[in-house]
Amino acid sequence: MKKITPIVLVTVDSYKYVAEQLSHMGVLQEFTVLVDEFQELMSDSKFKGPTEIEFLHNLHGLKKIVYLSATPIPEPYIEQMEDFDDVDYTYDLVWDPSVMEVSRLQSIPYKKKETARSICVKVIKDFQKNGYFARKRVGGVTVYSLEAVFFLNEVATILQIIKDAKLDPKEVNVLCSASNKRIPELTKMGVHIGELTTDKDAPTNRTFTFCTRASFSGVDFYSNSAMTYIFSDGVLDWHTHDVIIDVPQILGRQRLEINPFWKDAVLFYRPKSKVETMKAAATRIQQKEDNSVAWINHFKACDDATKLMLADGIRKRDPKKKYEDDYVDIVDDTVNGGFVAKMNYLVRNVEIRDYQLAAFVYSNPIYLLSTLDSSDTISVTSATHVSSSDSPELDTFRQNFFKTERFSDRMKAYTEFRKAHSEMSELLYQDTFIDFRYHDYYDTLGADNIDQLNYKEVDIEQAYRVISNTGKIITACHSRFVTGGKYTLKEVKEGMQDIYNALGLSQHAKAVDIEKYLDVDKKQFTSPTTKKRELYYVIK
């Protein structure tokens, strides 16, 4: 008879009820507990501290536990977690570099007075104006991003963005905690909550998906064209993403390789200008640890009635101030029954991690970008930092291109690189973060013409538009100047200016312009009553 292996899927919140029943049946030790995305035990402890520490406490004594994560908790923090003292082995799965996918991350700092709300609204407004979030050229075909996933860590901000951008609620999906207090308002507006397609072959999504920190870990997104935008504000703790854990997690959410933008993302960030001193942070955390030890020792010495009263007081603390003075939590003990008081080292570790992020990552853009670039699976592009690739020439170009926002400098860098390395044109076309105008200008005007225009944006745009409208100009010339007609230079100049104006071109007309669009013959004409002058004869 074939042996059937029972599998039980549970949430961290409900594990204790399942464990209690399996223990009662005498079969708990026969099960292997697999804790997927275990880095969330620490990350989520800010919001679900009692639940997370209670879950770990109730794993005590089990023989078979596996903690699994693609972005595990850094080793120094695990060493401070007493529930991991009995973990015997740590296995690192090392992927073959040839199968590893590298995410392309463009990092953009907030400008003065900018917020996640204002930046996100601008991204959406640009989409509403242009009809796409991003575009690139792949294999000679221009492809467009028609969907976007925005990672913002506050539902109140998401709600304001929806209103500011005047989004159709039917085009919006929000992924957030099921207990978020803003959900009733969102559903009343008609916004979809937590709806994701699972159809890999023909995915259908809302145009705008907003995702909070409480909901993206381990979630798979299937889209044919979605672009990813991440917002991390070092000044606001609840808007800050951990660049070691959170950002790689986010970059791995898009699953369909058919999506040309599946490995492209933009990170908008704001550094933290004022950081607590190391001494002050260490003193603050140590004081809370001391308070926790003292409280727990007092709790252990009390009778059962007093313990119940004290435990009730801990459980009823204001969630916003829960760990203000200590790290004490009360957890149910499913193995031995009753409840115990514990110091929540998960929350303590998060506070240590928050300080280190603020002091050593978000305090300086260089630290932030270097930390991101230390990953083997992230390629960073910014004004001050460009990740290395297999091509030194391409690296030099990208550094020169992205270090400035001035159009003329970028156009010159682009033009010189394309002229010297035409074989790399396709790599430039596939770079989501290079404005498409540079490709179009170069392909239409060529290096020499752009150089003659001194890389000036206004002049290049004007020349580009004229060439792009050549067909319309020819048609207009045939209407304005009839075959066999004779026209003075003044009449030709005025006619050409009228054509340019009608097409919305800012070009200043010259009579000689007609030679570009019609087959003409220029001759001198003399009459008894007029002086000698030049005329254009329109041949066809």
Side-chain angles (χ1 to χ4, degrees), residues 173-190:
N173 185 32
V174 175
L175 304 180
C176 64
S177 169
S179 60
N180 192 281
K181 65 181 180 180
R182 302 282 181 177
I183 288 180
E185 186 174 358
L186 287 167
T187 52
K188 185 177 181 180
M189 291 169 61

Side-chain angles (χ1 to χ4, degrees), residues 504-536:
L505 303 175
S506 57
Q507 180 86 345
H508 294 293
K510 299 177 182 177
V512 72
D513 290 353
I514 197 173
E515 297 178 15
K516 302 176 185 177
Y517 308 108
L518 296 179
D519 189 359
V520 297
D521 188 15
K522 188 178 182 181
K523 294 183 179 180
Q524 289 187 343
F525 174 77
T526 304
S527 72
T529 58
T530 61
K531 296 180 180 180
K532 184 185 295 185
R533 58 179 175 171
E534 292 183 312
L535 295 178
Y536 274 109

Side-chain angles (χ1 to χ4, degrees), residues 389-399 417 424:
S389 69
D390 294 332
S391 169
E393 296 88 353
L394 184 60
D395 292 343
T396 300
F397 157 70
R398 297 180 80 240
Q399 289 166 1
F417 183 79
M424 295 189 184

Side-chain angles (χ1 to χ4, degrees), residues 36-319:
D36 193 18
E37 305 291 357
F38 88 93
Q39 79 282 350
E40 296 302 323
L41 293 173
M42 192 171 98
S43 301
D44 284 354
S45 63
K46 277 185 177 181
F47 317 103
K48 301 192 299 182
T51 301
E52 310 289 3
I53 198 68
E54 182 176 77
F55 171 73
L56 286 176
H57 175 78
N58 286 314
L59 293 180
H60 279 181
L62 294 183
K63 297 177 180 178
K64 294 178 287 186
I65 308 173
V66 177
Y67 296 96
L68 186 65
S69 175
T71 54
I73 298 170
E75 194 69 29
Y77 300 101
I78 292 181
E79 292 174 356
Q80 299 179 52
M81 298 165 67
E82 61 185 44
D83 290 300
F84 283 80
D85 290 345
D86 296 330
V87 176
D88 296 326
Y89 304 100
T90 300
Y91 294 98
D92 289 330
L93 302 181
V94 181
W95 294 97
D96 183 341
S98 65
V99 301
M100 290 178 64
E101 295 286 349
V102 176
S103 296
R104 297 170 291 272
L105 181 70
Q106 182 181 33
S107 57
I108 303 175
Y110 286 20
K111 294 179 180 177
K112 190 176 182 180
K113 295 184 179 180
E114 279 189 329
T115 62
R117 174 179 170 182
S118 65
I119 296 171
C120 190
V121 169
K122 183 180 183 304
V123 171
I124 293 172
K125 291 289 186 183
D126 287 344
F127 166 80
Q128 293 169 334
K129 175 184 176 182
N130 300 322
Y132 57 85
F133 289 101
R135 59 177 176 169
K136 64 170 70 172
R137 195 173 297 162
V138 181
V141 178
T142 302
V143 292
Y144 299 88
S145 171
L146 305 179
E147 300 171 7
V149 182
F150 301 96
F151 289 87
L152 292 121
N153 207 27
E154 188 178 45
V155 179
T157 300
I158 294 172
L159 187 60
Q160 289 302 320
I161 290 169
I162 295 171
K163 294 178 180 179
D164 292 349
K166 297 181 173 57
L167 296 181
D168 181 352
K170 295 179 182 178
E171 290 298 312
V172 179
N173 185 32
V174 175
L175 304 180
C176 64
S177 169
S179 60
N180 192 281
K181 65 181 180 180
R182 302 282 181 177
I183 288 180
E185 186 174 358
L186 287 167
T187 52
K188 185 177 181 180
M189 291 169 61
V191 172
H192 299 268
I193 305 295
E195 293 186 7
L196 281 179
T197 182
T198 57
D199 189 343
K200 300 178 183 180
D201 299 320
T204 301
N205 299 293
R206 315 291 170 187
T207 304
F208 311 96
T209 296
F210 296 91
C211 194
T212 67
R213 214 207 156 283
S215 57
F216 68 71
S217 184
V219 176
D220 292 339
F221 292 88
Y222 300 109
S223 170
N224 290 331
S225 70
M227 186 71 183
T228 297
Y229 297 92
I230 308 167
F231 298 83
S232 191
D233 191 335
V235 176
L236 305 175
D237 290 343
W238 61 94
H239 277 209
T240 302
H241 284 294
D242 188 325
V243 295
I244 298 296
I245 296 177
D246 294 347
V247 173
Q249 276 282 337
I250 291 171
L251 295 177
R253 294 309 94 212
Q254 290 294 339
R255 295 299 193 181
L256 292 186
E257 294 185 40
I258 195 174
N259 174 6
F261 308 92
W262 78 304
K263 287 297 180 182
D264 293 333
V266 180
L267 168 66
F268 295 101
Y269 69 92
R270 178 162 59 174
K272 191 177 184 71
S273 56
K274 296 181 180 180
V275 181
E276 185 180 21
T277 66
M278 183 179 295
K279 182 178 179 180
T283 301
R284 171 175 56 80
I285 292 170
Q286 185 61 55
Q287 183 61 58
K288 292 165 75 169
E289 286 189 41
D290 292 343
N291 292 346
S292 302
V293 172
W295 195 97
I296 292 172
N297 286 339
H298 171 69
F299 176 84
K300 290 179 178 178
C302 293
D303 57 44
D304 290 345
T306 305
K307 283 183 179 179
L308 186 61
M309 180 187 68
L310 291 173
D312 192 50
I314 291 293
R315 285 170 168 157
K316 290 182 178 179
R317 286 192 298 192
D318 182 348

